[in-house]
């Protein structure tokens, strides 16, 4: 069967359509220099495909779809783009700066993310989630509830009782300095209690007749401790603080500072420091072994009263009491109205002298009492406890970062407000953040050197 095709119009030439040549048409290929029917050179299909970049033979590789080509395109897409005309204009006016400066930040970030591998993206996401979680945790109430929960931080097990007089009483009894002392002391305790999730009870210690015919001035702390145990049924320890105290290191929790290692932080044998020269231990034959032992039963769980001693004896400006049956008995005996009636005129330090007498006379009180080194929880300012200057046993030392300072006896010849102000500023200075240190130690110092003027940032 013959093809219904007309012969080539070119004399002696091949077909204008390559691939359709027949032996009867003359030549199997166009002659050199011949042209097609429209006057154009005859172009073979294979040559056209070669010029357009297509291969005349089958191949398994696709056009620009290989592994290397794919990554080369990804890298090249992240490079700065500019055209020749724009580059020339920029070169004339701006000194030849590349147009990469015109690439938006979002585009650059997309380019960086596009070059990252999958594992790197997952790691970066986990790091970002961790940082965001820390920011949320430390800047939200979650941290407070974490520290307060009994099964986590344990803050609700502690109650701080601050002896104050928020109402003010009679104005003639309380001047501007007394108001300032109370304001700073209360603010300090509120901040510390809020930091660690402790309960804070601010009580009124103004002089007034509360108990029928008895004034009981300073003795009422026994009654307030008993009331606080009833008010906070989950509380295990109560920490009594006088008004003239200041927490110097709010970053110390009571758990880490004292109670996690209560046995190591305290001593039960009063002979280690015995300013009252109390005979210890008692040796009466009718007593049990723990009562005759200088350290009681040696078990820290049996410690129910924790206090410190200064140069004069027991100091109750800062002490701890644990909830227990033993504590209930102690508070009852300590509050005994008969002892108050008979001895309150003789005991110069009132309830403090009463507790010392109970410790001397009652062996069952000794074996549940422990003592802290004074500077652990009750440091004195220089000048208290004698006029012989600094004593490392009693006096506050900023290098050791003592926890609390008690300005006991400042109303007798010392400046209570001056001491409170100085310790408040020192506490702030010692506990500055990195940002505050940068501003005050570097920026303010440079400004002072340049201008000669002090600035508070």
């Amino acid at each position: 069967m013959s093809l219904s095709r007309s012969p080539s119009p070119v004399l002696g030439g091949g077909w204008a359509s390559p691939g359709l040549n027949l032996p009867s048409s003359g030549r199997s290929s166009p002659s050199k220099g011949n042209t097609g029917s429209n006057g154009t050179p005859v172009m073979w299909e294979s040559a056209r495909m070669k010029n357009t970049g297509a291969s005349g033979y089958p191949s398994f590789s696709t056009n620009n779809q290989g592994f290397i080509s794919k990554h080369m395109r990804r890298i090249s897409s992240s490079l700065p783009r500019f055209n020749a005309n724009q580059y020339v204009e920029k070169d004339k006016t701006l000194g030849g700066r590349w147009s990469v400066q015109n690439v938006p930040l979002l585009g650059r970030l997309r380019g960086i993310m596009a070059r990252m591998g999958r594992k790197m993206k997952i790691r970066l996401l986990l790091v970002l989630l961790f940082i965001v979680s820390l920011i949320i945790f430390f800047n939200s109430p979650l941290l407070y509830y974490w520290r307060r929960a009994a099964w986590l931080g344990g803050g609700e097990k502690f109650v701080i009782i601050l002896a104050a007089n928020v109402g003010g009483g009679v104005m003639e009894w309380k001047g501007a300095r007394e108001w300032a002392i109370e304001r700073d002391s209360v603010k300090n305790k509120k901040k510390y209690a809020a930091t660690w999730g402790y309960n804070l009870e601010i009580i009124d210690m103004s002089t007034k007749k509360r108990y029928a015919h008895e004034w009981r001035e300073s003795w009422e702390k026994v009654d307030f401790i008993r009331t606080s145990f009833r008010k906070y049924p989950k509380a295990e320890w109560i920490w009594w603080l006088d008004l003239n105290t200041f927490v110097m290191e709010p970053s110390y929790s009571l758990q880490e500072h004292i109670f996690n290692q209560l046995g190591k932080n305290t001593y039960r044998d009063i002979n280690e420091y015995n300013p009252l020269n109390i005979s210890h231990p008692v040796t009466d034959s009718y007593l049990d072994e723990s009562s005759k032992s200088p350290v009681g039963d040696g078990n820290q769980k049996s410690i129910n009263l924790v206090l410190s001693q200064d140069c004069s004896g027991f100091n109750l400006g800062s002490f701890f009491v644990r909830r227990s049956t033993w504590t209930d008995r102690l508070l009852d005996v300590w509050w005994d109205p008969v002892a108050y009636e008979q001895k309150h005129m003789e005991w110069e330090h009132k309830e403090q002298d009463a507790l010392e007498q109970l410790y001397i006379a009652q062996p069952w009180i000794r074996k549940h009492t422990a003592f802290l080194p004074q500077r652990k929880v009750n440091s004195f300012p220089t000048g208290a406890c004698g006029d012989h200057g600094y004593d490392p046993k009693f006096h506050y030392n900023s290098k050791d970062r003592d926890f609390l300072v008690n300005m006991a006896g400042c109303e007798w010849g010392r400046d209570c407000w001056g001491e409170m102000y100085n310790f408040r500023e020192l506490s702030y200075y010692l506990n500055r953040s990195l940002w505050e240190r940068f501003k005050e130690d570097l920026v303010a110092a440079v400004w002072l050197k340049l201008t000669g003027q002090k600035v508070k940032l």
Side-chain angles (χ1 to χ4, degrees), residues 343-355:
K343 295 290 186 179
H344 74 279
M345 298 299 293
E346 300 178 18
W347 289 333
E348 180 183 358
H349 297 99
K350 305 170 184 177
E351 82 291 349
Q352 186 169 292
D353 289 342
L355 182 61

Side-chain angles (χ1 to χ4, degrees), residues 36-321:
S37 59
N38 55 358
T40 61
V42 177
M43 180 68 70
W44 287 83
E45 185 67 21
S46 61
R48 183 180 294 110
M49 294 177 63
K50 187 175 182 179
N51 290 338
T52 58
S55 175
Y57 299 94
S59 176
F60 288 99
S61 64
T62 58
N63 188 24
N64 292 330
Q65 295 299 320
F67 177 82
I68 297 179
S69 300
K70 184 186 299 183
H71 284 271
M72 288 296 293
R73 289 199 312 275
R74 181 178 297 175
I75 294 173
S76 62
S77 64
S78 64
L79 295 175
R81 301 175 181 177
F82 60 95
N83 54 56
N85 296 332
Q86 186 178 11
Y87 177 72
V88 171
E89 295 175 0
K90 294 285 185 180
D91 186 60
K92 292 179 180 179
T93 58
L94 301 177
R97 282 188 288 176
W98 288 44
S99 63
V100 66
Q101 298 177 357
N102 297 328
V103 177
L105 179 60
L106 184 59
R108 298 182 194 178
L109 294 177
R110 287 179 178 176
I112 294 174
M113 294 298 296
R115 293 194 299 272
M116 286 185 181
R118 183 179 179 183
K119 290 185 178 179
M120 182 58 69
K121 291 180 181 178
I122 293 175
R123 291 172 184 171
L124 181 61
L125 179 61
L126 292 176
V127 171
L128 290 176
L129 289 176
F130 178 73
I131 294 174
V132 171
S133 300
L134 287 179
I135 294 174
I136 294 175
F137 182 75
F138 285 101
N139 293 276
S140 68
L142 291 176
L143 179 61
Y144 172 79
Y145 291 113
W146 174 282
R147 289 175 170 175
R148 180 169 174 76
W151 54 282
L152 291 173
E156 66 177 355
K157 295 180 180 180
F158 296 87
V159 177
I160 301 174
I161 299 180
L162 178 62
N165 180 12
V166 180
V170 182
M171 289 299 297
E172 288 78 10
W173 296 352
K174 192 171 182 180
R177 287 175 172 265
E178 287 74 19
W179 280 107
I181 292 170
E182 185 171 284
R183 178 196 63 218
D184 287 349
S185 181
V186 170
K187 183 179 179 181
N188 174 250
K189 308 312 183 298
K190 285 183 176 180
K191 182 179 179 181
Y192 181 74
T195 299
W196 295 104
Y198 303 145
N199 302 293
L200 177 62
E201 188 74 10
I202 301 175
I203 60 173
D204 183 10
M205 292 288 288
S206 58
T207 302
K208 60 178 65 175
K209 193 173 182 179
R210 290 188 179 89
Y211 310 103
H213 65 288
E214 299 174 348
W215 285 82
R216 290 256 178 169
E217 185 180 356
S218 295
W219 289 66
E220 60 264 48
K221 66 176 57 174
V222 179
D223 190 30
F224 286 130
I225 291 173
R226 195 200 314 269
T227 303
S228 297
F229 273 129
R230 289 196 297 263
K231 183 176 180 179
Y232 300 96
K234 295 183 179 180
E236 181 180 355
W237 286 94
I238 283 182
W239 183 20
W240 177 277
L241 287 175
D242 284 348
L243 183 64
N244 291 331
T245 58
F246 199 88
V247 178
M248 297 296 293
E249 298 296 332
S251 60
Y252 295 178
S253 69
L254 293 176
Q255 297 92 313
E256 291 293 332
H257 187 56
I258 299 173
F259 291 99
N260 287 352
Q261 295 182 330
L262 184 60
K264 294 182 178 180
N265 290 324
T266 58
Y267 62 93
R268 302 176 76 166
D269 185 359
I270 197 173
N271 292 315
E272 291 190 21
Y273 178 64
N274 194 355
L276 297 175
N277 294 320
I278 297 174
S279 178
H280 183 78
V282 290
T283 57
D284 296 333
S285 58
Y286 60 88
L287 297 174
D288 58 5
E289 293 300 323
S290 61
S291 298
K292 292 188 289 185
S293 170
V295 294
D297 60 3
N299 186 355
Q300 70 175 25
K301 293 183 179 179
S302 67
I303 298 175
N304 293 311
L305 175 63
V306 180
L307 67 157
S308 62
Q309 298 185 91
D310 57 29
C311 55
S312 301
F314 291 6
N315 188 290
L316 299 182
S318 172
F319 70 96
F320 300 89
V321 181

Side-chain angles (χ1 to χ4, degrees), residues 351-418:
E351 82 291 349
Q352 186 169 292
D353 289 342
L355 182 61
E356 291 173 352
Q357 181 61 36
L358 290 174
Y359 182 88
I360 293 171
Q362 302 294 334
W364 63 272
I365 292 179
R366 296 191 187 195
K367 64 180 182 180
H368 292 279
T369 302
F371 301 93
L372 283 165
Q374 183 172 350
R375 286 178 51 196
K376 190 77 174 177
V377 72
N378 201 20
S379 297
F380 277 179
T382 304
C385 243
D387 300 327
H388 304 292
Y390 175 79
D391 189 326
K393 185 183 293 292
F394 311 118
H395 296 145
Y396 174 83
N397 190 329
S398 60
K399 294 181 180 179
D400 295 335
R401 306 295 290 267
D402 292 349
F403 174 52
L404 179 135
V405 63
N406 179 8
M407 290 148 274
C410 64
E411 62 273 11
W412 307 105
R414 304 200 322 265
D415 184 3
C416 294
W417 164 240

